[in-house]
Amino acid sequence: MCTARYTESDVRELAGPRSYERGLGYLDAVGRLRVDADRITATVQGTERYRVALEDGDSLRAACDCPYGEDGHFCKHCVAVALTVLREPGELPALRGEAAARETALDTWLDGLSRDELLALVRKRLAEDADFKDLLSVRAVMAGGDITAVRADITALLDPAEFSQYGYIAYEDAHGYAAQVTRAAEAIRDLATAGQGAAAIAAAREAIRRVTGVYESADDSDGCIADAAAELERAHLDACVAEPPDPDETARWLVDHCLGDGGEYLELEPADYRDVLGAQGLATLRALGEEALARNPSGWAEKYLMESLARAAGDLDELIAIHAADLDPDGYTHLVIAGELEAAERAGEALEWAEGGLRHAATEGEPVHRGLVDYVAERYACDDRTADALTVRRDHFQAERSLLAYRALRAAARADGRWDAERPPALELLRADAEEGRKSRWGGGAVLIDALTDDEDFDAAWIAAPVLATSDQWLRLADASAAARPADALAVYVRDVVARCQYTGDGNYTRIADLLTKARACQEALGTLDDFTAYLAGLRTEQKRKRNLMRILDQRGL
């Protein structure tokens, strides 16, 4: 059976707790789900109908055309689509089968077109799509056999001038530049396929050097330039496979890349080159790596190179020894080692290393890495050691006292049948933090409010909120308890509308419309819809000069 390549934990980590929880409320709003080999698309009906695309390849990536998603965030709509796919695994084979059928139908249709019909389609696309035209132009030059011209075209594709209005590539221009880097990688692959492996290798290395220089002055918050650069590196490897270069020279290039600026910005896995290098090249690579590590024993790039060599040799014990030579105080290195051992089906040793990481962090007086806590607790839970899992979660909560740690403590305590006993002292710790003014790690206010809201202990949350809650916490509490306390929630929504009316911008206007929609639902529940109608009329009169706000309110039927 075909399944998704990601997990619910991946979704939660990418989205963050707030978007994840909100996404749960949109599972019934997902429609037009379409699954291809590595891409999942759907629509989600929110305040408007939004389009979501998930890339389900080596790692999960997502895009949504809602305002929050357009800022590069893994929004609640992305969460809803990702979870819908996970929770309906039986549909994936059928959906991927439908995608394959569509591809077959398209191929059949194209096979039936005449040469003139195909040329008409291509020319129409060339007239509409400058990027497509650039790609075919490079291939046309390549067909003519002018390798110098091909390399010049590849260099031109890597020139950031068009995207550097102020001397750097701004966030909004990063995707455009990344698309050109990807086309350069495709051209390099075409060179290698055409029997020009040496030229392709030289072009790839020059391209990697150029992109490395650009990367220092680019806002690549979405990682699109890094992804495109990875395509360049894969094109280089493909070219090396097509026409293997000198193994010693290749080893020296790999070391220079990994230890220079290239390794800092564009990770490359030397182990992937073991077939290209052969025994001679691997020996040269190891000698150069050992010399570099001797010169700089604490260098992360030097360590990464030696780790890669250990992987290439399949020597897990050497790899563990390299990791163990420099242990992170929070236990993260222990987690990495545990992961390597787990993958090698040495689960007992993996757990021993992970448990050692907990002890190591305690000795160092450092907060334990959250991933290590999760690993140990989940292993204990799988082994029916629920009391031990609870102890790990309790210790972590007492040290971190975040909402995520509270949720994990609650789940572990429920699994062990002890939540009624664990909850009061946990809340007492959070209450003491609130009284001392301690806030969440991200400055989001007292964790006590979020914990009570998450527990659906709304009465206690409303009692504590006037003294402790931030504006975001007020809104989360109102959203969570609107059905039970519509009058209280209404007051929060109206207060936030008043505050937001002081500002402009379509994103702000959309949020005002969201709040008004919620306020209307509260007054419907209270049986006072006439009051809302009067309030809205007054608001529209007061804000009538804000034309975009009026347009958005009209679109929402407000």
Side-chain angles (χ1 to χ4, degrees), residues 231-363:
E231 285 298 320
L232 277 181
E233 293 177 331
R234 282 189 283 271
H236 175 261
L237 177 57
D238 291 344
C240 289
V241 171
E243 187 172 325
D246 177 81
D248 290 333
E249 186 278 332
T250 302
R252 286 191 291 273
W253 182 83
L254 285 169
V255 170
D256 289 342
H257 174 87
C258 290
L259 302 187
D261 290 341
E264 182 177 355
Y265 295 110
L266 310 173
E267 288 188 7
L268 184 148
E269 180 63 75
D272 292 341
Y273 287 78
R274 56 178 168 266
D275 293 336
V276 172
L277 292 167
Q280 178 184 339
L282 284 172
T284 300
L285 189 62
R286 175 173 290 278
L288 293 172
E290 289 173 348
E291 290 173 8
L293 187 61
R295 289 192 301 270
N296 186 17
S298 61
W300 69 266
E302 288 81 1
K303 287 174 56 183
Y304 174 78
L305 176 59
M306 296 308 296
E307 290 167 13
S308 182
L309 286 171
R311 289 192 188 93
D315 192 336
L316 178 57
D317 291 324
E318 180 188 3
L319 179 59
I320 291 172
I322 294 169
H323 285 309
D326 186 17
L327 297 171
D328 289 317
D330 65 354
Y332 175 71
T333 316
H334 290 76
L335 175 62
V336 172
I337 293 172
E340 299 281 3
L341 288 164
E342 184 96 26
E345 298 184 354
R346 292 163 61 175
E349 294 174 75
L351 182 57
E352 288 176 6
W353 268 99
E355 291 170 329
L358 297 181
R359 294 190 296 271
H360 178 74
T363 301

Side-chain angles (χ1 to χ4, degrees), residues 82-246:
L83 293 182
T84 295
V85 173
L86 287 178
R87 295 178 184 189
E88 298 293 341
E91 293 187 11
L92 281 179
L95 291 170
R96 287 199 165 118
E98 291 172 7
R102 288 194 299 270
E103 290 291 329
T104 300
L106 177 60
D107 287 342
T108 301
W109 176 71
L110 289 172
D111 287 340
L113 295 178
S114 68
R115 178 178 183 276
D116 288 343
E117 288 171 325
L118 282 170
L119 284 174
L121 282 175
V122 172
R123 288 184 175 123
K124 183 174 185 296
R125 175 75 184 279
L126 288 171
E128 296 172 345
D129 190 338
D131 292 342
F132 183 63
K133 186 174 183 179
D134 286 344
L135 176 62
L136 290 197
S137 295
V138 171
R139 294 190 175 183
V141 173
M142 192 180 304
D146 189 346
I147 302 304
T148 301
V150 173
R151 291 189 62 177
D153 284 345
I154 291 172
T155 299
L157 285 170
L158 300 168
D159 186 352
E162 179 185 348
F163 305 94
S164 304
Q165 302 179 52
Y166 310 105
Y168 66 95
I169 298 178
Y171 172 82
E172 58 270 20
D173 294 319
H175 283 274
Y177 182 68
Q180 293 203 171
V181 175
T182 300
R183 288 200 297 278
E186 292 169 353
I188 290 166
R189 283 198 176 93
D190 289 342
L191 264 180
T193 303
Q196 298 291 335
I201 291 169
R205 293 182 183 179
E206 174 62 15
I208 290 169
R209 185 188 68 80
R210 287 178 177 273
V211 173
T212 297
V214 169
Y215 204 80
E216 294 179 325
S217 56
D219 181 352
D220 192 30
S221 301
D222 283 352
C224 56
I225 298 177
D227 288 344
E231 285 298 320
L232 277 181
E233 293 177 331
R234 282 189 283 271
H236 175 261
L237 177 57
D238 291 344
C240 289
V241 171
E243 187 172 325
D246 177 81

Side-chain angles (χ1 to χ4, degrees), residues 495-519:
R495 184 170 65 224
D496 209 48
V497 168
V498 171
R500 288 182 174 274
C501 282
Q502 301 176 52
Y503 306 100
T504 59
D506 284 359
N508 185 55
Y509 296 155
T510 299
R511 185 61 181 139
I512 290 172
D514 289 342
L515 292 165
L516 289 172
T517 300
K518 294 174 182 178

